[in-house]
Amino acid sequence: MRIGIVGVGWYGFKPNTREVSFREMMFEAATRAYYDAGNLNPRTDVDTFISCQEDFWEGIAIADEFAPDPIGGAMRPTMTVTGDGLQGILHGVMHILSGLSNVTVVESHAKPSDIKTLRDVIEFAYDPIYGRIGAKNIHFLAGLEATKYMKIRNATREDYASVVVKNKRNGLRNTRAPFSSNLNIDDVTKRDFVVYPLTDLDISRFVDGAVVMVLASEEVARKFNDTPIWIEGIYSATETTLELSNLGEATYMKIASREAYKMAKIDSIRKIKSAFVDDTYSYKELQHIEGLELSQNAVEDLREGEFEIGGKVEVNPLGGHLAGGRALEASGLALLLDAIDYLREGKVDNAVVASWRGIPTFTGAVGVVSR
């Protein structure tokens, strides 16, 4: 049985949303999603609700208590996934496949503009012995990994800059991409390093945003939407901890993609023509492309233009996080939202979506979707 995405809604995706609280953002995104799903009534048509959020980001203990009301889930079965939104979609799929529900709503949001101590929150995520070392730069681990990837693939600063140029230019086609720009390689490489070998343009910026999606079983999906987007396969994997990891390789993505492809019955990776891949850092896009097995050497294929629009595999054709910003736990749903827009426009017939939970985790989720 396939699972259909029958409604999507979003709000924000800009550096600051002073006009709303995080709960009002959730309400606005939910209202749009339910309208997109044929004016669905959440109080009567939805069986279960899932919210993806972390207490630390919210600054509120047991923050999930605030989830039900804004999305129409008061006094209804509501659960929390303390992870990325794409992991929430995985849980929604399991709700439906297990027979627990026919219609499930998945929500995630981010309001980093409200967080006064963002750097401290990120540092607290590190292991207290090996990672929480009082580093002055929270991107130090990304710098180490980007440097190792350069050594593994003979990548250059210009290669990383090419990813930035491609994605920020692609973002000009996307209404959710406030950091889009028409740059050239020199614009990136001539800037000062935030941490070697990455400049501020190699690092995605945080944005406020909320996304709500409505999932339905194949039996009832067309009751809400004549053209659902189908989830053909989805999987999540955690590789290891920082001290045991293979920096420079996205093993978590390789594990998740193989299982997602198996579930989607993908017998040839060449059938995938578009990929919406986490690019929190420019080098991460290349690393994740290899983890998804879309390329054996992403640096060489990047230089050949294989990831451009019209190339072998279009990677982040709507800009990814470098153009759209990183919306904390809603980041995976933002990539899925881009994929859904692309599929609905008829640009491609299928797409792979790959999210990463961010530093210092080695956790990723992969979904295969089609129209």
Side-chain angles (χ1 to χ4, degrees), residues 157-178:
R157 274 290 305 122
E158 286 72 20
D159 293 323
Y160 291 170
S162 294
V163 174
V164 176
V165 170
K166 172 179 72 70
N167 289 2
K168 285 186 177 289
R169 184 183 61 237
N170 288 347
L172 293 171
R173 301 146 45 98
N174 189 346
T175 56
R176 290 183 300 276

Side-chain angles (χ1 to χ4, degrees), residues 84-85 108 278 321 325-336 355-356:
D84 177 74
S108 192
D278 181 280
H321 298 325
R326 181 169 176 81
L328 300 177
E329 307 296 41
S331 297
L333 291 188
L335 293 172
L336 180 56
S355 70
W356 171 52

Side-chain angles (χ1 to χ4, degrees), residues 116 174 247-248 266 323:
K116 291 184 177 179
N174 189 346
L247 283 183
I266 298 286

Side-chain angles (χ1 to χ4, degrees), residues 92-104:
V93 167
M94 289 192 286
H95 277 208
I96 295 172
L97 289 180
S98 66
L100 183 65
S101 73
N102 268 319
V103 179
T104 292

Side-chain angles (χ1 to χ4, degrees), residues 98-286:
S98 66
L100 183 65
S101 73
N102 268 319
V103 179
T104 292
V105 166
V106 179
E107 178 276 339
S108 192
H109 61 272
K111 210 165 188 310
S113 67
D114 277 356
I115 304 174
K116 291 184 177 179
T117 56
L118 191 59
R119 179 194 173 284
D120 296 323
V121 173
I122 293 172
E123 185 182 24
F124 205 76
Y126 278 93
D127 179 274
I129 297 174
Y130 297 102
R132 210 179 301 161
I133 56 177
K136 293 181 180 178
N137 193 322
I138 57 172
H139 303 292
F140 79 91
L141 183 58
L144 288 172
E145 190 173 48
T147 303
K148 184 172 181 183
Y149 186 79
M150 290 173 81
K151 185 176 182 180
I152 293 172
R153 289 291 180 221
N154 290 321
T156 65
R157 274 290 305 122
E158 286 72 20
D159 293 323
Y160 291 170
S162 294
V163 174
V164 176
V165 170
K166 172 179 72 70
N167 289 2
K168 285 186 177 289
R169 184 183 61 237
N170 288 347
L172 293 171
R173 301 146 45 98
N174 189 346
T175 56
R176 290 183 300 276
F179 308 116
S180 305
S181 187
N182 196 9
L183 303 176
N184 58 47
I185 299 293
D186 286 346
D187 290 331
V188 183
T189 57
K190 289 186 176 179
R191 295 176 79 90
D192 294 337
F193 292 124
V194 171
V195 59
Y196 180 83
L198 307 172
T199 71
D200 60 334
L201 293 176
D202 289 277
I203 303 170
S204 61
R205 295 172 61 182
F206 292 111
V207 287
D208 293 354
V211 183
V212 172
M213 294 193 180
V214 183
L215 312 185
S217 67
E218 191 168 11
E219 292 178 351
V220 303
R222 287 195 170 84
K223 171 185 172 184
F224 304 103
N225 192 318
D226 291 335
T227 55
I229 298 299
W230 299 107
I231 302 171
E232 306 286 358
I234 188 165
Y235 204 86
S236 174
T238 295
E239 175 190 341
T240 182
T241 55
L242 172 61
E243 61 272 21
L244 299 175
S245 67
N246 292 319
L247 283 183
E249 299 176 17
T251 305
Y252 53 89
M253 201 62 83
K254 189 170 293 184
I255 297 169
S257 63
R258 285 180 177 173
E259 295 300 323
Y261 295 156
K262 192 185 302 180
M263 185 176 175
K265 297 182 172 59
I266 298 286
D267 54 5
S268 172
I269 208 70
R270 294 181 180 178
K271 292 180 179 177
I272 295 176
K273 295 300 180 185
S274 63
F276 297 81
V277 179
D278 181 280
D279 58 338
T280 295
Y281 300 95
S282 55
Y283 78 95
K284 271 292 182 185
E285 175 172 297
L286 301 172

Side-chain angles (χ1 to χ4, degrees), residues 7-13 20-37 40 70-72 105-110 176 208-214 330 333 337:
V8 297
W10 60 275
Y11 185 87
F13 288 92
V20 290
S21 67
F22 77 87
R23 286 187 289 172
E24 289 167 333
M25 275 202 313
M26 295 166 67
F27 174 79
E28 293 292 342
T31 300
R32 289 160 173 75
Y34 300 152
Y35 179 77
D36 190 50
L40 166 152
I71 56 177
V105 166
V106 179
E107 178 276 339
S108 192
H109 61 272
R176 290 183 300 276
D208 293 354
V211 183
V212 172
M213 294 193 180
V214 183
L333 291 188
L337 204 51

